Each structure stands twice: as C-alpha cells, then as structure tokens.
C-alpha cells in the first residue's frame, strides 16, 4: 500500500506532502481495513494474483511457440524488473508492453509504462519496443466483454438495471478537470472519463440496451477531494429509490477480478444494496481467463 500510494502518478502532490499524507494519514488508518478486506476474499492467493496467473498460463498456451510472455505487478511481485529480466535473458528481438488497463490513466497505464521504460533504459541491450497505452476501443477487448455481459444478463432470472462501474480518478487528473465538457471533444483521446463512457456506450449499443436500462459510475475513491461522479456506492442506492430491485454490475476497467471487484462490489456493495431493500445483486465477472478473451488477445499480440 505504501509503495502504491507513494507513486507520484497516484497521489499527484508535492513529494513532502505525499510522504506525510501516506505515512501519517492514509496507511495507518487504512491498513487494517484493507487487511480485513483481503481476508474476506483470500483463498490460496489474492484474487488478482490467481486470476493473472491463470490468464498468463492460458495466453502462453494459446500463442505460437515463438512468442514468450511474462506478467508483472507495478507494486508487488512478480515485479516489472523481474519480468523484464526473465524476458531479456531469452534474447528477444521485440518487446510489447501491454498494461492490462483498457482505459488510459496516468495513475495506472502511465505509471506501468514509465517504470517499464525506465528499467529498460538501464539495460545495455534494448530490443525494439512497442507500447499499447490503451485498448478500450479495440475489438479484441470489446467483443469478449460484450459477449460476457450478454451471457450474464441472459442467465439472470430478472434484472432491472445494468451499471457499468469503473475505477475512479480525482477530477484534477483529467485533462480538463471537467471544464468545457472535454469528454465530448474528439480531440481529447486520452481522457479517462471519455474512454470509460465510450466503453459503456459501445457495449450498450451492441446489446441494444434501452437508454434507461444502463448507466456509468465510478468506484474506489479516496480522501475528500472531488473524484469523477457519479460514485458507484451512492448511485446504486439511488437506483433503489427509482424502483430498481434487481441490479447487475460490470466493471470494465478491470480485465481480472481483484479486491476492487470481488470485495468492494461483490461483497460490500451487494450487502448494502440488499440491506436497503434490493432483491438481487449480481457482479458480472471480469474477463479473467475467458477463452474468447484469451483467443482474441493472443491474435492481437501476434498480429502486431
């Protein structure tokens, strides 16, 4: 947690302010609640660790033998440094860096890319490098996501509403900080909020969902500064007041289920929704190692 929050791309304030905030404010207050959350979902490993391991194994088995893959975590093990060392020892000629965050944000994609390139810059031999900084609009992501949501909705006995929930960002980390409606500007390609809204709209259009059947919200905010709205936890309860009793939630900013999906949405928000009068609550799983996702991703990697 300390390594994560100490990243200047995560908390974008002055270094001394970030140090005090993280080490005196956030970590001492949140470490025990985070530990309790992990204990609720821990099996043989953390959900993200297990799901990424399964995805990596399935992907490697699908790729042609000449393709070698490694996966890494930005703040824990296996580290980016370890993954790069493993790959470079095999005398590769070309390297693809693919942060598994469909929508671009400086805090996630930017941080992973920056660290990867920094470590590569320290090597004597640097292979040809290709960087994929987002893929929210790529067919290899949209097709499996749409089909996954369709299967889940078809399997539910009743559903009144579908909520697309994305990991939140502080408003100040958006290119325009929500002034002048930047998300409507075609020129603002790397606006995180715009990419999230586009993901939801594309899936909804492909599934022919009525406009009053779905919406987009943002989860996992931290602190008191303004984050992108609407907030998932508040919006879900507002839906109850509108008569929604059977809710489905999908989190398309995550391709592998993790604490933010399994515990925050699948357990905490579900319990709150049911406690306040909801009848059913379904968290649609992330793509994880879904066969179609693995197949489409492998095709994309081999075609580049």
């Amino acid at each position: 947690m300390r390594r994560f929050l100490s990243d200047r791309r995560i908390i974008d304030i002055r270094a001394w302010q970030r140090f005090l905030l993280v080490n005196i404010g956030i970590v001492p207050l949140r470490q025990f609640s985070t530990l309790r959350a992990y204990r609720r979902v821990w099996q043989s490993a953390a959900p993200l660790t297990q799901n990424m391991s399964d995805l990596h194994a399935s992907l490697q088995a699908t790729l042609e033998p000449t393709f070698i893959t490694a996966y890494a975590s930005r703040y824990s093990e296996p580290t980016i440094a370890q993954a790069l060392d493993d790959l470079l020892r095999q005398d590769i000629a070309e390297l693809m860096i693919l942060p598994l965050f469909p929508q671009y944000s400086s805090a996630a994609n930017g941080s992973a890319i920056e660290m990867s390139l920094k470590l590569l810059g320290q090597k004597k031999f640097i292979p040809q490098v290709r960087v994929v900084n987002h893929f929210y609009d790529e067919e290899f992501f949209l097709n499996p996501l749409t089909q996954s949501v369709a299967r889940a909705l078809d399997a539910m006995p009743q559903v009144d509403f579908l909520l697309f929930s994305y990991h939140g960002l502080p408003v100040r980390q958006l290119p325009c900080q929500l002034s002048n409606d930047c998300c409507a500007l075609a020129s603002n390609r790397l606006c995180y909020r715009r990419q999230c809204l586009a993901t939801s709209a594309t899936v909804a259009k492909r599934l022919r969902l009525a406009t009053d059947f779905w919406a987009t919200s943002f989860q996992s905010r931290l602190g008191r500064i303004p984050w992108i709205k609407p907030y998932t936890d508040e919006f879900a309860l507002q839906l109850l007041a509108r008569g929604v009793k059977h809710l489905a939630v999908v989190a398309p900013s995550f391709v592998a289920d993790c604490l933010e999906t399994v515990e925050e949405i699948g357990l905490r928000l579900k319990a709150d929704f049911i406690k306040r009068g909801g009848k059913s609550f379904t968290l649609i799983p992330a793509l994880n190692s879904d066969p179609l996702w693995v197949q489409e991703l492998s095709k994309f990697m081999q075609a580049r």
Side-chain angles (χ1 to χ4, degrees):
M1 183 188 297
R2 187 171 282 108
R3 286 196 298 268
F4 167 63
L5 295 173
S6 296
D7 187 336
R8 64 180 177 83
R9 288 180 179 267
I10 301 296
I11 300 181
D12 53 342
I13 58 179
R14 294 178 179 178
W16 68 269
Q17 293 175 318
R18 183 168 56 249
F19 178 85
L20 293 177
L21 178 62
V22 171
N23 293 281
I24 297 178
I26 300 177
V27 171
L29 294 175
R30 290 181 62 93
Q31 59 181 332
F32 296 109
S33 61
T34 301
L35 181 60
R36 286 195 298 271
Y38 270 110
R39 283 174 173 166
R40 297 185 71 191
V41 298
W42 196 278
Q43 294 181 3
S44 59
L48 180 59
T49 300
Q50 186 61 60
N51 288 322
M52 282 303 305
S53 178
D54 292 344
L55 172 59
H56 176 246
S58 298
L59 185 61
Q60 186 62 68
T62 305
L63 289 166
E64 297 177 2
T66 54
F67 284 80
I68 305 166
T69 61
Y71 77 95
S73 171
R74 175 64 180 85
Y75 306 104
S76 60
E77 294 188 349
T79 66
I80 294 176
Q82 292 169 337
L84 287 175
D85 286 344
D86 290 344
L87 290 172
L88 294 178
R89 273 196 295 267
Q90 302 183 64
D91 193 29
I92 60 173
E94 184 177 357
L95 174 68
M96 175 186 290
I97 300 173
L98 176 62
L100 286 175
F101 307 103
Q103 301 81 22
Y104 179 86
S105 70
S106 173
N109 312 55
S111 182
I113 293 168
E114 179 185 24
M115 178 57 70
S116 300
L117 296 178
K118 178 182 178 181
L119 292 169
L120 274 174
Q122 299 170 2
K123 304 298 182 182
K124 184 176 181 180
F125 172 74
I126 301 176
Q128 181 175 335
V129 178
R130 294 184 177 181
V131 177
V132 180
N133 67 0
H134 66 264
F135 52 89
Y136 76 98
D137 55 350
E138 294 282 356
E139 193 62 26
F140 77 86
F141 167 67
L142 288 170
N143 185 33
L145 174 63
T146 302
Q147 295 203 31
S148 174
V149 173
R151 289 196 303 270
L153 294 178
D154 287 343
M156 294 175 62
Q158 183 175 350
V159 55
D160 300 330
F161 200 89
L162 172 64
L163 184 59
F164 293 85
S165 178
Y166 297 82
H167 199 288
L169 277 184
V171 170
R172 69 177 180 223
Q173 292 189 12
L174 296 177
C176 67
Q177 300 183 22
L178 294 183
S179 62
N180 300 320
D181 195 19
C182 81
C183 299
L185 300 177
S187 60
N188 204 3
R189 296 181 301 106
L190 291 184
C191 173
Y192 175 76
R193 180 175 179 273
R194 179 175 185 258
Q195 293 186 359
C196 293
L197 295 175
T199 303
S200 300
T202 300
V203 174
K205 181 178 180 180
R206 293 187 178 193
L207 294 179
R208 299 182 179 179
L209 303 180
T211 56
D212 60 352
F213 180 79
W214 64 275
T216 295
S217 61
F218 299 86
Q219 63 185 80
S220 309
R221 64 189 184 278
L222 176 66
R224 298 179 180 179
I225 61 173
W227 285 56
I228 310 173
K229 292 183 178 181
Y231 302 141
T232 295
D233 55 350
E234 295 180 357
F235 191 78
L237 299 184
Q238 292 170 11
L239 289 172
L240 281 170
R242 291 164 46 181
V244 172
K245 300 297 183 181
H246 302 273
L247 178 63
V249 181
V250 62
S253 55
F254 303 93
V255 297
D257 278 313
C258 54
L259 193 69
E260 287 83 353
T261 59
V262 177
E263 196 277 336
E264 182 181 348
I265 302 297
L267 294 180
R268 269 192 287 150
L269 183 57
K270 177 180 181 178
D272 206 14
F273 184 81
I274 299 298
K275 179 181 178 181
R276 301 293 184 92
K279 299 300 183 182
S280 69
F281 182 106
T282 301
L283 171 64
I284 298 175
L287 292 174
N288 295 316
S289 54
D290 176 86
L292 180 59
W293 158 241
V294 172
Q295 179 183 1
E296 297 276 11
L297 179 57
S298 66
K299 289 180 180 178
F300 171 80
M301 295 172 65
Q302 292 174 116
R304 291 184 66 86

